[in-house]
Amino acid sequence: MGRYFKVLGAVLALTVANFVCAAPLFAQGPPAPAVTVATPLAKRTTTWDEYSGRFEAVETVEVRPRVSGFVDKVHFKDGQIVKAGDPLFTIDPRPFEIAVESARAEISRAKAQVALALSEVERAAPLVKSGAVTERDFTQRSANLNVTEAQLQVAEANLKAAELNLEWTVVTAPISGRISDRKVDIGNLVIGGSQGTTLLTTIVSLDPIHFVFDTSEADYLRYARLGLAGERTSSRDTASPVRIRLADESDWAHEGRMDFLDNQFNPRSGTMRGRAIIANKDQLFSPGIFARLRLFGGEIDALLLPDSAVVSDQMQKIVFVVGDDGVVKAAPVTLGPLVEGLRVVKGGIKATDKVVLDGLASPFVRPGAKVVTQAGEIKTVP
């Protein structure tokens, strides 16, 4: 029995000794995590500012009749492509044909009156000297001739108006483009003139096409200051290049140029309207489609980082920076567009900062943690 207690005591003493020896190891905690760091890539880059907007037709026309009448024919198919001058509607021309014939008859009557008044003046002219015709009578005949000649001019003008109204019974396309559906059918009465006219259809041009967007006051001021410094020309004076990306595209495959910048800011939204023009030969773009636009923003000395080095922290973007003491710090950054596969960092870090590239997935890599750094390199993607 005594031997048993001696063995048990030796085992307990050995266990306590092992625990005491291992205690410092537990107190040290896990080793510092290893991360890859690199300084931002400094490079002179071309910046592009992005805006949302929509396409608008360069020309939009509401087709309305110039004369009133009943629709006799419709010469187009809803939604087809039409050319300027193509007939679209025919209004019953018979009343206008009668008006033309009546105007021509009035001209004939006026010409006969002119001929009669002219003959009376010619007969009276030699008789004035002999006293057979008084001066007063001759003056009256001359005045009658002038009146009949004026009446002839009125009749000729009425004929031109009647012929013009007859011509307007065929409503033609004023521009080339895609036509909408017809708003009236055959047999309907349409009202022409200058007020209360009937809308027949609409036509929009297709190629080229406009892209309209709004720019902020901050961007406008930045562009203006770049222009004053000679680093960027104004879009009012130069056709600045733009690029377009549709909703289902990942690349900025469509190129265009600026052709208009408004003359004032919208007092409600605080934005200024800009407009670009883009070729649309394949008619991919249609008025009303929304898309994204990139506008040339000038050349800047930028700091570039891979997107994988940027993390989200509530309402801001941050990167992890390692100081000389090996401690991680969070640096809020202002980001710009992607350039050659890297993200432009507009502010928040310096060119000498060591930014964490790899190892962010580790829960031990957080602000205040001490890490072991490994040198990495940031490269552009061609």
Side-chain angles (χ1 to χ4, degrees):
M1 191 68 176
R3 184 179 180 183
Y4 171 76
F5 283 110
K6 289 180 180 180
V7 173
L8 180 59
V11 172
L12 290 174
L14 180 60
T15 301
V16 172
N18 289 338
F19 179 79
V20 172
C21 293
L25 296 178
F26 288 113
Q28 292 177 1
V35 296
T36 302
V37 298
T39 56
L41 179 62
K43 186 177 181 182
R44 185 76 174 174
T45 60
T46 299
T47 61
W48 297 85
D49 296 317
E50 296 185 14
Y51 301 96
S52 295
R54 60 187 177 87
F55 290 99
E56 288 186 357
V58 173
E59 296 177 294
T60 302
V61 175
E62 292 183 342
V63 180
R64 298 178 184 270
R66 298 186 179 185
V67 293
S68 301
F70 290 90
V71 176
D72 264 2
K73 296 179 182 178
V74 178
H75 301 280
F76 67 92
K77 181 180 178 181
D78 293 351
Q80 78 174 60
I81 301 294
V82 297
K83 295 181 180 180
D86 286 351
L88 303 178
F89 296 87
T90 296
I91 298 172
D92 186 0
R94 290 173 296 178
F96 301 95
E97 292 171 348
I98 294 173
V100 170
E101 293 175 359
S102 176
R104 288 173 179 167
E106 184 63 24
I107 288 178
S108 298
R109 187 182 68 83
K111 286 182 177 179
Q113 291 179 341
V114 169
L116 176 60
L118 178 61
S119 64
E120 290 181 352
V121 169
E122 291 176 346
R123 285 197 303 269
L127 299 177
V128 173
K129 296 179 180 180
S130 63
V133 175
T134 64
E135 289 285 346
R136 184 175 182 278
D137 185 43
F138 181 76
T139 302
Q140 183 64 46
R141 294 185 183 188
S142 298
N144 290 339
L145 175 60
N146 294 334
V147 169
T148 56
E149 288 177 342
Q151 290 174 343
L152 175 60
Q153 291 178 352
V154 171
E156 290 174 343
N158 289 336
L159 175 61
K160 291 180 180 179
E163 290 175 340
L164 187 59
N165 287 335
L166 178 61
E167 180 183 339
W168 283 342
T169 59
V170 179
V171 182
T172 60
I175 63 171
S176 299
R178 188 175 298 279
I179 196 168
S180 181
D181 60 333
R182 57 190 175 188
K183 308 303 180 184
V184 295
D185 295 317
I186 295 175
N188 282 288
L189 174 65
V190 296
I191 306 301
S194 58
Q195 293 182 350
T197 56
T198 305
L199 176 63
L200 301 178
T201 186
T202 59
I203 304 175
V204 295
S205 62
L206 298 175
D207 183 30
I209 194 168
H210 281 150
F211 185 86
V212 180
F213 63 98
D214 292 322
T215 182
S216 66
E217 182 178 343
D219 286 345
Y220 173 81
L221 292 175
R222 178 163 54 85
Y223 295 150
R225 295 190 185 281
L226 287 173
L228 294 175
E231 298 179 8
R232 183 186 185 276
T233 56
S234 172
S235 295
R236 285 196 176 99
D237 304 326
T238 305
S240 301
V242 300
R243 296 175 182 174
I244 301 290
R245 185 184 70 187
L246 299 178
D248 62 343
E249 296 175 336
S250 57
D251 298 328
W252 304 87
H254 313 286
E255 297 183 357
R257 55 182 173 81
M258 290 289 296
D259 76 331
F260 169 75
L261 188 63
D262 212 342
N263 60 355
Q264 61 181 342
F265 279 87
N266 186 318
R268 294 185 177 180
S269 64
T271 58
M272 180 177 287
R273 184 166 58 99
R275 190 182 69 196
I277 190 166
I278 301 96
N280 191 28
K281 294 181 179 179
D282 55 3
Q283 298 176 13
L284 175 63
F285 311 128
S286 182
I289 289 181
F290 282 84
R292 294 283 290 174
L293 173 141
R294 267 187 171 182
L295 174 62
F296 174 69
E299 301 283 341
I300 64 170
D301 293 320
L303 298 179
L304 306 178
L305 288 176
D307 262 342
S308 58
V310 182
V311 296
S312 297
D313 181 17
Q314 295 181 351
M315 298 299 293
Q316 61 183 354
K317 299 293 185 180
I318 64 172
V319 297
F320 289 153
V321 177
V322 180
D324 295 335
D325 55 358
V327 176
V328 177
K329 298 179 182 178
V333 292
T334 303
L335 303 180
L338 283 172
V339 175
E340 298 182 18
L342 298 177
R343 180 68 61 180
V344 173
V345 181
K346 296 182 177 179
I349 59 173
K350 302 187 296 293
T352 56
D353 286 338
K354 297 178 182 179
V355 180
V356 177
L357 303 180
D358 296 327
L360 295 174
S362 173
F364 298 103
V365 179
R366 60 187 185 276
K370 195 172 183 62
V371 295
V372 177
T373 60
Q374 300 174 352
E377 185 181 3
I378 299 175
K379 296 181 179 180
T380 59
V381 179

